[in-house]
């Protein structure tokens, strides 16, 4: 009701039913970021904004990457919820003009949910994008609220970088891909409420078609290669409404949208249903009228539907028509300008001793072996050994890591976020990569009940990124992860990309194994530890950086697949420590002790 009053005050009149439906979507937390926009503005940022974060890789290529959550859909319908999470984040990367090259997942659940694993596997394998890494956290914290965070990365040529906006009046917007149905209606607003809320039904869940996505990828990249794409947006949360309004609002422009032109698979849909449906495998392309025909030819060649759905105007108005009937006429900027909730200053407590809250020790091979991590033949370091390392043929490489510390976050949200960033940096350094930037997945319970926990989490993220010079390129916020008002722990997921100049990275070999570093934590020692990791890797040592060395089953299995065995005395550490495991005889000024052998 509060947001309705704000809407009607800004409109200067009563809102129509269709406007209420539209603004419910656009001003939902999932689309509008009401509770987090203020915090996000404070983060150290880098790169080109838009559908995904963009950072330079070398003189010719850029990396596009982002993490996205599909928590609520995966709780209600695990297979399609997880599958369409993969599809959506792939299109975010694609929309920047990059070919998707890798997927990672961060899964938090109380037990292995086969539907979620199969959804990710089925979609990723079918579209030919390797799933190269991730994390699996099994805990009762997530009994009713599994967290499914998916990170996608793509590589593009600098001349093919696509803006996420229209640029001038007279352009047109083509929507192409799959036909539009009723699936996913109000999916965005459903993602912003308690799982027992009225929208928590399978009707809110999108249904994926990975083979259509594969055709979409190839069609879009052909359009980019031919210089036909002047702006792009994927159709995810909010569907036609979100994609078309955001494309023009970002430039202070307007649009006239013709809903009767949208290709449908259910012919009796109401205009508002066409506008806000979240049917998958669709993209919006901004182009000139003279290029639109070629865009539609390419879509048709790839067996996809397509139509010129909107014209870009200089009015600043977002006008939606169905035949000759005007469904909605509002300022385009208003759709994007969701109300902001107040943010809170937070002063962290000094670092303290934390207690161990251990996740179940599982062999992640049971999960990632269902994924194809070698498709494309660019995976240098496979899952199980730390961050993935990928190559760009004829160029350099890049590393990918995804990490979280909810076990610390539940005790102190600030330090949980802070330590997550530091450990992601260590992991990245351990494969010979230089950290470039992160994408953050903010997973939280109810900010209306516990606003300071969110403030603490965001402050921890900000402080760690600033102090260790790793900026934020993109991100996602998933709030209201609650069931019957009981929420998840503050769970910040950090996806980190690094630059790998030398692809001849150290691999595990036979020999002694050492624990190097400290079993506890001191901020003053952190830079020295990071510098030591860099030096050890340059000297040819394989370095393993983990937060809990008592949960090492996955690493042992990975070694066994290389014909190696590990026999070590597990080092005892605090829950937050500065200890790494080094294979070989390290020459180091840090404390080191021999703990066993790799043979």
């Amino acid at each position: 009701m509060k947001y309705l009053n704000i809407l009607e005050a800004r409109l200067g009149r009563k809102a129509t039913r269709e406007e209420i439906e539209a603004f419910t979507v656009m001003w939902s937390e999932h689309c509008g970021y009401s509770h987090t926009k203020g915090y996000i503005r404070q983060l150290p940022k880098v790169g080109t904004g838009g559908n995904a974060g963009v950072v330079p890789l070398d003189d010719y290529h850029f990396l596009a990457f982002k993490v996205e959550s599909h928590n609520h859909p995966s709780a209600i319908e695990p297979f399609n919820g997880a599958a369409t999470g993969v599809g959506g984040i792939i299109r975010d990367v694609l929309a920047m003009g990059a070919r998707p090259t890798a997927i990672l997942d961060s899964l938090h659940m109380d037990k292995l949910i086969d539907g979620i694993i199969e959804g990710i596997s089925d979609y990723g394998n079918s579209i030919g994008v390797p799933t190269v890494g991730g994390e699996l956290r099994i805990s009762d914290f997530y009994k009713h609220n599994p967290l499914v965070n998916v990170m996608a990365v793509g590589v593009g040529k600098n001349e093919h970088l696509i803006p996420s906006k229209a640029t001038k009046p007279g352009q047109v917007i083509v929507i192409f891909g799959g036909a539009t149905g009723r699936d996913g209606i109000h999916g965005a607003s459903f993602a912003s409420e308690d799982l027992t809320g009225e929208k928590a039904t399978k009707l809110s869940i999108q249904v994926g078609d990975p083979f259509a996505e594969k055709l979409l990828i190839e069609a879009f990249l052909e359009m980019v290669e031919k210089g036909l794409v002047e702006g792009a947006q994927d159709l995810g949360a909010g569907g036609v409404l979100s994609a078309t309004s955001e494309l023009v609002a970002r430039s202070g422009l307007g649009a006239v949208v013709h809903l009767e032109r949208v290709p449908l698979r259910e012919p009796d849909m109401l205009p508002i249903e066409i506008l806000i449906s979240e049917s998958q495998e669709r993209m919006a392309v901004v182009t000139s009228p003279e290029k639109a025909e070629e865009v539609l030819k390419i879509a048709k060649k790839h067996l996809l539907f397509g139509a010129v759905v909107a014209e870009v105007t200089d009015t600043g108005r977002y006008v939606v028509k169905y035949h000759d009937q005007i469904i909605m006429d509002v300022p385009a900027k208003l759709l994007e300008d969701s109300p902001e909730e107040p943010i809170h200053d937070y002063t962290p407590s000094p670092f303290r001793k934390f207690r161990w809250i251990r996740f179940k020790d599982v062999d992640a091979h049971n999960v990632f072996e269902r994924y194809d991590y070698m498709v494309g033949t660019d995976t240098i370091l496979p899952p199980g050994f730390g961050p993935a390392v990928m190559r760009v043929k004829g160029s350099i490489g890049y590393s990918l890591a995804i990490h979280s510390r909810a076990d610390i976050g539940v005790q102190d949200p600030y330090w949980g976020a802070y330590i997550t960033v530091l450990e992601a940096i260590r992991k990245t350094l351990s494969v010979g990569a230089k950290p470039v930037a992160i994408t953050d997945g903010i997973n939280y319970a109810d900010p209306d009940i516990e606003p300071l926990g969110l403030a603490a989490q965001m402050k921890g993220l900000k402080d760690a990124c600033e102090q260790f010079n790793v900026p934020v390129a993109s991100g996602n916020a998933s709030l209201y992860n609650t069931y019957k008002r009981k929420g998840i722990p503050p769970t910040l997921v950090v996806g980190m990309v690094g630059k790998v100049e030398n692809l001849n990275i150290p691999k595990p070999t036979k020999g002694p194994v050492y624990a190097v570093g400290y079993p506890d934590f001191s901020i003053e020692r952190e830079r020295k530890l990071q510098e030591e990791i860099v030096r050890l890797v340059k000297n040819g040592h394989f370095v393993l950086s983990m937060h809990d060395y008592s949960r090492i089953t996955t690493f042992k299995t990975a070694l066994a697949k290389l014909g190696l065995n590990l026999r070590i005395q597990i080092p005892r550490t605090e829950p937050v420590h500065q200890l790494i495991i080094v294979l070989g005889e390290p020459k180091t000024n840090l404390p080191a002790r021999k703990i066993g052998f790799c043979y």
Side-chain angles (χ1 to χ4, degrees):
M1 182 58 73
K2 179 176 76 171
Y3 282 14
L4 177 58
N5 292 337
I6 293 172
L7 172 61
E8 293 183 339
R10 293 183 182 178
L11 289 173
R13 58 173 171 79
K14 285 285 187 183
T16 67
R17 178 187 169 193
E18 287 80 11
E19 288 166 349
I20 292 172
E21 293 268 8
F23 280 91
T24 295
V25 171
M26 294 302 293
W27 286 6
S28 68
E29 190 67 43
H30 190 74
C31 293
Y33 290 82
S34 295
H35 286 84
T36 53
K37 272 196 291 193
Y39 296 118
I40 292 169
R41 273 198 297 270
Q42 297 177 351
L43 297 173
K45 298 187 190 66
V46 70
T48 304
N51 291 278
V54 170
V55 293
L57 181 60
D58 60 15
D59 292 338
Y60 309 100
H61 300 92
F62 66 86
L63 284 180
F65 65 106
K66 187 181 179 185
V67 68
E68 183 77 69
S69 63
H70 241 219
N71 301 336
H72 283 57
S74 300
I76 297 295
E77 220 288 70
F79 181 90
N80 276 311
T84 53
V86 173
I89 194 63
I90 285 289
R91 292 192 301 277
D92 280 332
V93 165
L94 178 68
M96 303 308 296
R99 175 174 287 280
T101 52
I103 302 165
L104 299 90
D105 54 18
S106 171
L107 306 177
H108 293 71
M109 52 189 79
D110 71 317
K111 60 183 177 182
L112 273 181
I113 300 174
D114 281 337
I116 290 175
I117 307 304
E118 290 302 324
I120 295 170
S121 169
D122 180 77
Y123 209 100
N125 292 354
S126 298
I127 62 176
V129 180
T131 302
V132 297
E135 62 172 358
L136 180 61
R137 303 282 193 251
I138 305 296
S139 167
D140 287 342
F141 286 139
Y142 306 97
K143 185 173 180 62
H144 299 291
N145 286 90
L147 301 185
V148 178
N149 286 244
V150 181
M151 176 181 172
V153 182
V155 177
K157 297 177 182 177
N158 290 341
E159 63 266 28
H160 290 163
L161 179 60
I162 302 298
S164 302
K165 61 184 180 181
T167 53
K168 59 188 176 184
Q171 290 176 312
V172 296
I173 301 176
V174 176
I175 289 179
F176 76 97
T180 298
R182 287 190 171 91
D183 53 312
I185 289 177
H186 278 302
S189 50
F190 156 57
S192 304
E193 64 173 37
D194 186 277
L195 273 177
T196 54
E198 62 182 21
K199 297 188 182 77
T201 71
K202 291 191 178 184
L203 296 177
S204 300
I205 312 304
Q206 306 92 333
V207 178
D209 180 352
F211 300 104
E213 182 101 345
K214 176 60 176 172
L215 296 172
L216 185 83
I217 291 170
E218 299 308 325
F220 182 78
L221 291 174
E222 183 178 339
M223 295 171 193
V224 170
E225 192 73 36
K226 291 183 175 179
L228 303 175
V229 182
E230 298 170 10
Q233 178 82 23
D234 95 289
L235 269 71
V240 172
L241 167 67
S242 177
T244 54
S245 66
E246 288 177 1
L247 281 168
V248 296
R250 289 168 182 158
S251 303
L253 297 168
V256 179
V257 180
H258 305 272
L259 293 178
E260 73 276 5
R261 300 179 186 175
V262 176
L264 303 180
R265 65 170 184 265
E266 298 181 49
D268 60 340
M269 291 179 68
L270 298 172
I272 191 64
E273 292 178 323
I274 300 171
L275 186 64
I276 66 174
S277 164
E278 295 181 13
S279 294
Q280 296 292 284
E281 293 83 44
R282 299 179 298 164
M283 295 278 287
V285 165
V286 180
T287 190
S288 59
E290 56 270 21
K291 294 177 182 175
E293 186 176 345
E294 182 65 20
V295 168
L296 293 172
K297 281 183 181 177
I298 292 172
K300 186 176 181 180
K301 182 180 79 173
H302 288 85
L303 308 178
L304 300 169
F305 297 97
V308 177
V309 168
E311 297 93 33
V312 178
T313 69
D314 61 0
T315 65
R317 306 290 297 181
Y318 184 76
V319 182
V320 180
K321 293 184 176 182
Y322 186 67
H323 297 293
D324 294 327
Q325 178 187 2
I326 294 180
I327 305 300
M328 190 166 69
D329 182 349
V330 298
K333 278 285 188 185
L334 186 58
L335 285 160
E336 189 180 58
D337 188 22
S338 61
E340 284 197 41
E341 297 293 336
I343 63 173
H344 300 268
D345 291 329
Y346 183 81
T347 302
S349 301
F351 185 83
R352 59 185 173 85
K353 297 270 188 188
F354 293 99
R355 70 183 189 277
W356 274 110
I357 302 175
R358 284 193 157 100
F359 299 105
K360 186 177 179 182
D361 187 16
V362 293
D363 188 347
H365 285 79
N366 296 327
V367 173
F368 62 66
E369 285 189 347
R370 303 191 216 181
Y371 306 152
D372 187 342
Y373 59 82
M374 283 303 295
V375 61
T377 68
D378 289 326
T379 309
I380 302 298
L381 193 64
F385 295 106
V389 176
M390 308 290 290
R391 67 175 175 177
V392 178
K393 291 181 175 70
S395 180
I396 63 174
Y398 56 98
S399 68
L400 310 168
I402 196 162
H403 185 56
S404 63
R405 285 302 303 268
D407 57 319
I408 304 301
V410 74
Q411 299 175 67
D412 188 314
Y414 174 89
W415 287 109
Y418 189 98
I419 296 302
T420 297
V421 175
L422 263 59
E423 292 180 345
I425 293 172
R426 294 179 207 162
K427 287 175 179 288
T428 299
L429 296 174
S430 73
V431 293
K434 179 183 178 181
V436 173
I438 70 168
T439 178
D440 58 82
I442 303 157
N443 299 273
Y444 193 71
D446 192 330
D448 300 318
I449 294 175
E450 296 185 59
L452 284 181
L454 180 60
Q457 187 179 47
M458 298 305 295
K459 175 71 170 170
L461 171 63
K462 174 180 180 290
D463 286 355
C465 288
E466 287 180 343
Q467 291 171 22
F468 291 90
N469 197 30
V470 182
V472 179
S474 60
N476 173 74
S478 173
L479 310 185
Y480 301 100
N481 288 286
T482 60
Y483 179 81
K484 295 183 178 179
R485 312 297 286 175
K486 181 175 174 58
I488 62 161
T491 307
L492 175 73
V493 172
V494 165
M496 183 172 290
V497 296
K499 186 181 295 188
V500 182
E501 302 280 357
N502 180 7
L503 288 174
N504 187 25
I505 58 176
K507 304 290 198 306
T509 55
K510 294 180 179 179
V513 177
Y514 280 77
V516 175
Y518 305 91
D520 56 1
F521 178 79
S522 166
I523 293 175
E524 292 72 24
R525 295 192 302 237
E526 183 63 27
R527 290 192 188 278
K528 188 174 182 181
L529 174 66
Q530 293 178 13
E531 291 167 359
E532 193 65 5
I533 293 173
V534 172
R535 198 182 65 79
L536 288 167
V537 173
K538 281 184 177 178
N539 288 342
H541 291 289
F542 176 85
V543 174
L544 181 68
S545 178
M546 294 177 60
H547 79 274
D548 186 356
Y549 292 110
S550 72
R551 303 295 189 261
I552 206 167
T553 301
T554 301
F555 179 58
K556 284 186 172 181
T557 303
L559 287 175
K561 290 180 179 295
L562 296 180
L564 299 172
N565 295 292
L566 187 71
R567 180 173 294 174
I568 62 171
Q569 178 187 358
I570 300 296
R572 296 173 64 90
T573 67
E574 297 289 327
V576 181
H577 59 80
Q578 291 167 311
L579 196 73
I580 55 175
I581 286 180
V582 180
L583 273 62
E585 295 271 4
K587 294 180 179 178
T588 176
N589 293 323
L590 297 185
R593 69 181 182 89
K594 189 174 178 181
I595 58 172
F597 293 91
C598 181
Y599 60 96

